[in-house]
Amino acid sequence: MAQLSIHHRKCPHCGSNHFVKRGYFYKQHTKTYIPRYNCKSCNKTFSTRTLSPTFRQKRTDLNPQVFQYLTSGASIRATAKALGCTYKTAYLKFLWLSKRAQDIHQKQRFSFKELYFDEMLSIEHTKLKPLTVALAVSDNYEILGVQVGKIPAQGKIASISRRKYGYRPNESSVKTQDLLTEVKRQALIKRFTIKSDSKPEYHRIVKKIFSNLPYEQFISKENKDKRREQKYLKTEKHIFDPLFPINHICARSRDLTKRLVRRSWCTTKVPEHLERALYLLIAKNNKYRLFS
């Protein structure tokens, strides 16, 4: 009987350990020979790559590079141009990487003392179709979750948006509730402090999901007024920001995710793709091992 590695001692199709070697196949881009095997029980063939997450991928060497570019403020098209591959290859890598990052994140369990959450605004192709991005962050700067939803346009462009694109649902409360529900499932400890800004809807959502936990809301306008008064003074740097972890992660997200950059031609056309891009950022920020 042929022997595989310690992780591959059985046929992945039927579980039998009766198999023999059946040659090799050559991977051109990695310049390696991969051994093949034939199972005597089910008569199916397999290789040492069959159980790998990158099974059936030809350009596995591009995975770390695509991940690095997409989480460093580059678009998919710019990534493809820099790596010398086609746009389709970079796009398919983006879909695979984001799905793997999301699967790994959902299996994680977090331990923290303070939970911060807030929402960012983005757009779907045009300012007439805004999006909300709900984020949850721990006191040790780990990103605990993300949700992307649609919201209606506000202000002077609200009537233009309704006339041109019709009714848009307000998913802000629903996505925030889904986010906190997922954080509750992944939390290892049951006692922690929740902090957010003073949006009126937050109090109702938090008390519905975390009824017995301490909850603090902060008025961001007071902090902004202090900064405006001390804009050109050194004392501005000494103003305490009670929501610094979530504000820091939001600013970092806009810097490292091309789809969130303000006043850019590179806007997301599909809200689900924005959420996928943010899962890549979660994998980078939380230091997940996507390629092991």
Side-chain angles (χ1 to χ4, degrees):
M1 182 186 74
Q3 292 292 329
L4 293 176
S5 66
I6 191 172
H7 301 291
H8 303 277
R9 293 188 178 273
K10 295 182 179 180
C11 171
H13 303 292
C14 66
S16 173
N17 58 356
H18 298 286
F19 50 85
V20 295
K21 279 189 175 181
R22 193 178 178 181
Y24 298 84
F25 69 90
Y26 180 70
K27 289 185 69 68
Q28 180 179 359
H29 294 286
T30 57
K31 310 296 186 212
T32 55
Y33 288 91
I34 308 298
R36 294 171 61 96
Y37 300 89
N38 178 246
C39 179
K40 290 299 183 179
S41 298
C42 62
N43 201 31
K44 293 183 178 180
T45 60
F46 60 95
S47 71
T48 54
R49 302 293 300 170
T50 301
L51 298 179
S52 171
T54 57
F55 180 54
R56 295 189 183 279
Q57 289 192 22
K58 294 183 179 180
R59 297 297 306 272
T60 55
D61 57 308
L62 291 180
N63 290 336
Q65 300 177 64
V66 171
F67 175 77
Q68 185 62 33
Y69 273 100
L70 293 180
T71 55
S72 299
S75 63
I76 297 178
R77 196 172 299 277
T79 299
K81 186 176 181 180
L83 296 178
C85 62
T86 63
Y87 174 84
K88 182 179 179 180
T89 298
Y91 174 70
L92 293 177
K93 294 293 183 186
F94 161 71
L95 295 180
W96 180 82
L97 287 168
S98 59
K99 181 64 168 61
R100 180 155 173 78
Q102 185 175 4
D103 292 341
I104 293 176
H105 176 73
Q106 290 176 349
K107 296 177 183 177
Q108 300 296 312
R109 295 297 180 267
F110 301 98
S111 179
F112 49 88
K113 296 180 180 179
E114 294 180 345
L115 167 64
Y116 302 84
F117 72 94
D118 200 359
E119 292 176 275
M120 291 190 298
L121 291 180
S122 185
I123 60 174
E124 177 188 357
H125 179 62
T126 171
K127 290 183 178 181
L128 300 178
K129 297 193 289 183
L131 297 173
T132 178
V133 181
L135 275 172
V137 179
S138 67
D139 53 340
N140 51 6
Y141 296 89
E142 285 185 314
I143 303 178
L144 305 178
V146 63
Q147 292 283 339
V148 177
K150 298 179 180 180
I151 56 175
Q154 299 178 357
K156 297 181 179 179
I157 62 175
S159 58
I160 303 175
S161 175
R162 287 192 298 268
R163 184 169 64 251
K164 192 170 183 180
Y165 297 105
Y167 170 78
R168 281 180 67 82
N170 191 344
E171 300 177 347
S172 175
S173 299
V174 175
K175 294 300 180 179
T176 303
Q177 184 171 332
D178 292 345
L179 173 67
L180 295 181
T181 303
E182 186 67 14
V183 171
K184 183 179 181 180
R185 182 187 68 83
Q186 293 180 291
L188 285 174
I189 57 176
K190 303 302 179 183
R191 192 70 183 176
F192 49 86
T193 302
I194 306 172
K195 297 182 179 182
S196 73
D197 60 18
S198 56
K199 187 174 180 179
E201 296 178 1
Y202 288 166
H203 188 273
R204 175 184 59 82
I205 296 173
V206 170
K207 290 305 177 183
K208 180 180 180 181
I209 301 174
F210 303 103
S211 56
N212 299 323
L213 294 184
Y215 176 48
E216 300 178 14
Q217 284 187 299
F218 300 92
I219 302 176
S220 58
K221 187 176 185 302
E222 294 179 358
N223 199 21
K224 288 181 180 179
D225 291 340
K226 290 180 181 178
R227 290 187 180 275
R228 191 176 296 112
E229 292 172 2
Q230 304 175 7
K231 187 169 182 61
Y232 300 103
L233 302 176
K234 291 183 179 180
T235 53
E236 180 193 8
K237 298 181 180 180
H238 301 288
I239 297 176
F240 174 69
D241 185 3
L243 300 176
F244 180 79
I246 184 67
N247 292 335
H248 173 74
I249 292 297
C250 288
R252 194 163 183 261
S253 301
R254 290 198 182 275
D255 180 53
L256 298 180
T257 306
K258 187 66 175 178
R259 295 168 185 265
L260 287 177
V261 176
R262 298 181 186 272
R263 298 190 178 185
S264 168
W265 60 269
C266 186
T267 57
T268 188
K269 307 300 187 296
V270 183
E272 290 77 13
H273 283 7
L274 175 58
E275 190 168 309
R276 291 188 179 101
L278 289 171
Y279 271 109
L280 291 182
L281 181 66
I282 292 176
K284 180 175 183 176
N285 183 81
N286 297 357
K287 300 180 180 179
Y288 296 155
R289 300 178 62 181
L290 301 184
F291 314 107
S292 58

